[in-house]
Every structure is written in C-alpha cells, then in structure tokens.
Amino acid sequence: MNVAIIGSTHAGTIAATQIKAEYPDATITIFEKNTTVSFLSCGIALWVGHHVSDAQRMFYATPESLTAQGINVKMQHEVISADLTNKTIRYKNLLTEQLETAIFDKIVLTTGSKPIIPNIPGINSDKIYLVKSWEDANRIKAVADQVKRVIVIGAGYIGAEIAEQFSLNDKQVTLIDGMDRVLPKNFSPVMTERIEAAYTQHNVQLALGQMVQSFTDTADGITVTTDKGTYEADVVMLGIGFLPNTDLFAGQLAMMPNGAILTNEYMETSQPDVFAAGDATTIYYTPTQENAYIPLATNAIRQGMLVAKNLCGHQLAYKGTQATSAVELYGNAMAATGLNLASAKAANIDAVETVYEEDYRPDFMLTTTKVLSTLTWDKHSRRILGAAFMSQHDISQAANVVSLAIQNQMTIDDLAMADFFFQPNFTQPINFVGATALEAVNTKL
C-alpha cells in the first residue's frame, strides 16, 4: 500500500507514525514544503517570555525521527497539484526546482491552516509579524528583547498570550480587537472582566471594539489606525485567527464555505481513498451537534490517529470535540470547554448560564484560593453545553471533566450527582465542579 501525506502538521505527523504502526509494510511518503515538522506554535508566546528551556524542544518530531521509523520524508518539496480522483500528485523540489509526478493508493490531506491576513492598506509592512510558524517565531524572537512598544491585534488566545508576555517583559503594549471583550469566544463577561483588569494593572492599553483600518510605517515604527483611534508602536503582532489551507483541493472535495474539508466520522472525504485531518478540516462539535471549523492541536492529533485506524476500513469512529482549551494569564488559570452563553445564543440554543464561586478547599486549611466557575446548559433538555473555570489555583483539569460530560450527553442533574472524592488538601466536600452543577439544578427558571 502506497500512501501520500500532504503536510507534516500535527495531524500529518501523527497520521504517518500511526499508519506505519498499523501497517508496517506500507510505503508512506510525507510531502512538506518547509524545513521543519510538527512545530508547537502554542509555545511562541512562552519563548518570547523566556519560559522555554530549549527552542528545539518545541518540535515533537523531526524529519530524522520520522525517517528512522521507515517513513519517506520529502522536506522542501511542495505539492503543486493533486488529482484526487486519480490519486496523482505533482510536486516540486524547492531546492532544485525539479518537478515529479507520483501515483498513490491512499492520500491523506493534512495541510493545516494559514493565518488570516486582512486586505488592509499597509498590511505588507515588514514591521508586522505573524504568530504561526517556526519562521514567524524566529522573526519575533529576534526583535522581542529590543522593541519597546508593541501593538497586538487579536484578543483571542494567541493575542492574549503574547500581549501578556510582552507586558511582563516591560514593553508598552496595546491590545486591539474588534470584539468588545478579551477572549470572548471562550469565556463569559464575569471572567473576561477580571482578566481585563489584570491587563490594565500591567499597563496594557485595551483598545477593544475597534476595527483596524490601516497600517502606516513611520521613521521609528508603525502606526495603526482603527475606526476609533490611532496607536503607535515599534512592531505589530497579528493574531486574528486562521483559515484552512486547502486552496490546492478546491473543487475536488466537499468543503465548508471557508474551505474546511468535510469528512465523515471515519475521516474520509467525499473522494474515495482520500482522508483529511487537522486544521484543514471541519470537526463535529458536540455541544451544537453540527460540523464546525475549530483549529486545535488536540483535534488534529486525534483525527490523525483516526486516519490510521480507518485507512483500510471502518474501525473507529470520531466522537467529536468540545474544543476544550486553557490559558494562563498573569497567574490566572483559565480553562473552558464547549459553549458559553453568548456562543450558545449565536447557535440559536435557548441556554442558561450558572455562575458559582467558592474556595477550592476548606477554609480550615492555612491557605486556599477561590475558583470562579460558569456552567452553560440547555434550558429545556438540561443537557450540559459548556463550562469555564478561573482561579489562581490550577483548575485546568476541571474543563476536561466537563468535556467528558458533554461528550456523553450528560445533564446538569447527572453532573451534580457525579462521584468526586473529598480530601481537604485538594477539594471541598462537594467539589467545585459538582457544586456548580448543583447550583444549576437549584436554579429557579
């Protein structure tokens, strides 16, 4: 069996190693136009903030480690066309410019995502930095210690983290976003208000609810003009989101309007023997029970594994995702899964949000810390739709607990009666997850 994998993203790397484990005799070829594989871009902000021991450890595989497993790795080879009906790939060696064509039995599309770069005047300035690839990371790292003023555009996870790290390193930071809150897709106002206060305390200027209109280079920096003001800095960090990198396959596969490839629960595309995984694809989003585009490494890794499991027949179905994620900002652990009240309403779900706050362990302990929790649930079915947690204590695994509850279609009544242990070092007699669910059960509608 001859298998082509286009793109050595998280999904592509995992798919390759798992296919080799499942089918040792298979010939597997990875085509990658860049010089590296499996870069953990979530570490860029941490690297900027001097929290990374060794930058090379931000890769969980290398071309050499893949080759050692018997996988053919064609680095700096760009696929320039793909006939998915006939399983034919034409590719270019970027070092020699040589063109070649090859035919395969199976093709796996793991081309990942690309940064959203809006068509705004001045967007091509060399003072604007993307926050995505290893090359981007090196560009940022090269200037991070020298710059004094930084504008970050985008207050999602990427922008929120890099703005925090620059501010902690005594840079003058402005954070701009078109939405009126920081992290609006992940957390409700009760939490975003608190983290916005932390930004302000660290001298970050919040320019929220503003749309960027232009960039203008100046003698000593760059000016960003929005519909509400003008801001100056030495450099701009652009982190406003991603789009699927699937232009190569347009017109050959079923896709969402944004280009995300549609797959079934076995990671099969609309073309036989063509599979897709990772940021290039849609996911089945359990809270809404619909397909969605949510690029996350955790989704990509699971999907890559599933490609291997189902390459020669249906063995293991995809159970979907809850888009569980977490971030730490100014010592605050923030973790979320599923929908918040705003995103539930955007999905036309009649939802209720329960807010609960208490110390994570008994007050008789010498120290304790408060945990702020939100639980989003369907008003009619009482099905759990999402949750979020915020604390100076590490509460991140609580999001995983509720993620599992959502995946298993649990109600607030189920979660309230779930069996959680009690031990004073770790928790209250009723764990804060269960206590929040119990608060929801007792809500008078």
Side-chain angles (χ1 to χ4, degrees), residues 264-282:
N264 63 13
E265 64 267 42
Y266 301 105
M267 310 317 302
E268 296 169 317
T269 70
S270 56
Q271 189 67 243
D273 293 318
V274 177
F275 298 76
D279 288 5
T281 70
T282 60

Side-chain angles (χ1 to χ4, degrees), residues 385-399:
L385 301 172
F389 304 93
M390 180 178 185
S391 179
Q392 295 278 327
H393 176 62
D394 182 4
I395 43 68
S396 55
Q397 293 303 314

Side-chain angles (χ1 to χ4, degrees), residues 69-134:
Q69 297 175 62
I71 298 166
N72 302 322
V73 183
K74 291 187 175 293
M75 302 302 295
Q76 294 181 273
H77 282 68
E78 182 178 8
V79 175
I80 59 174
S81 67
D83 180 347
L84 299 181
T85 301
N86 296 304
K87 310 297 178 293
T88 303
I89 289 175
R90 188 157 177 78
Y91 58 95
K92 177 194 290 187
N93 183 325
L94 298 179
L95 298 178
T96 66
E97 298 295 312
Q98 182 177 353
L99 292 171
E100 293 189 47
T101 301
I103 300 175
F104 297 88
D105 302 309
K106 312 273 186 179
I107 296 179
V108 181
L109 310 179
T110 51
T111 46
S113 58
K114 56 188 177 183
I116 295 174
I117 304 175
N119 185 20
I120 294 174
I123 192 67
N124 294 320
S125 168
D126 61 7
K127 296 172 184 176
I128 297 175
Y129 293 71
L130 303 177
V131 191
K132 171 66 171 172
S133 68
W134 172 239

